[in-house]
Amino acid sequence: MALRWYTVVIDCHGIAAQARWWAQTLDFQIVYEDEHEVAVIPKHMSEDVIEDGATWLRQAQGLVFVPVPEGKTVKNRLHIDLAPHTSQDRDAEIAALLERGATLAAVGQGDDVTWTVLADPEGNEFCVLSSRDR
């Protein structure tokens, strides 16, 4: 038996803005939005009902943004790793994220690491890894 990893939930203040920022970053689409949550999924993922359990288990994960009253005070215990393909310009991808409101983040990583730690517009850390082809 296996359960499907369905979504990652991100606590934030401005759920609509955060959802749109991440949807643009990941080329996702908004599939649900109200004042309590905003859900985004990959554009290639169907919103149709999937009757077959094996097919349903292979679906990609989404992100859900929910409002919280408190601010972020410590480093995330869980974060998202992003990776460009080897055909992409990694530095240009990072520059685009910074132009859209991401910031560089220091979480104790050394100077010799192969990833870059950034924070989204509300301070949630994520990494851009080295370019990959798998």
Side-chain angles (χ1 to χ4, degrees), residues 117-134:
V117 183
L118 300 171
D120 71 16
E122 286 205 13
N124 298 301
E125 296 92 6
F126 65 97
C127 293
V128 178
L129 305 176
S130 58
S131 298
R132 293 148 195 253
D133 58 9
R134 54 186 153 158

Side-chain angles (χ1 to χ4, degrees), residues 31-66:
V31 293
Y32 181 80
E33 182 172 6
D34 68 17
E35 68 274 9
H36 304 292
E37 69 179 285
V38 182
V40 300
I41 62 171
K43 287 183 178 177
H44 68 271
M45 195 170 143
S46 174
E47 293 182 66
D48 297 335
V49 173
I50 300 172
E51 298 291 339
D52 175 62
T55 302
W56 186 80
L57 281 171
R58 291 190 302 271
Q59 295 301 299
Q61 297 75 32
L63 298 174
V64 174
F65 299 84
V66 298

Side-chain angles (χ1 to χ4, degrees), residues 60-81:
Q61 297 75 32
L63 298 174
V64 174
F65 299 84
V66 298
V68 295
E70 68 277 357
K72 184 177 177 310
T73 58
V74 297
K75 176 182 169 291
N76 293 0
R77 296 284 304 260
L78 177 72
H79 69 266
I80 296 172
D81 281 347

Side-chain angles (χ1 to χ4, degrees), residues 2-53:
L3 296 174
R4 176 177 160 205
W5 175 9
Y6 195 72
T7 60
V8 171
V9 178
I10 299 174
D11 294 345
C12 52
H13 289 286
I15 63 174
Q18 279 290 93
R20 283 169 177 69
W21 192 89
W22 279 100
Q24 182 180 357
T25 297
L26 299 172
D27 196 28
F28 279 22
Q29 62 182 329
I30 293 174
V31 293
Y32 181 80
E33 182 172 6
D34 68 17
E35 68 274 9
H36 304 292
E37 69 179 285
V38 182
V40 300
I41 62 171
K43 287 183 178 177
H44 68 271
M45 195 170 143
S46 174
E47 293 182 66
D48 297 335
V49 173
I50 300 172
E51 298 291 339
D52 175 62

Side-chain angles (χ1 to χ4, degrees), residues 92-106:
E93 296 292 339
I94 291 170
L97 291 165
L98 293 169
E99 287 175 20
R100 292 187 28 253
T103 55
L104 293 169

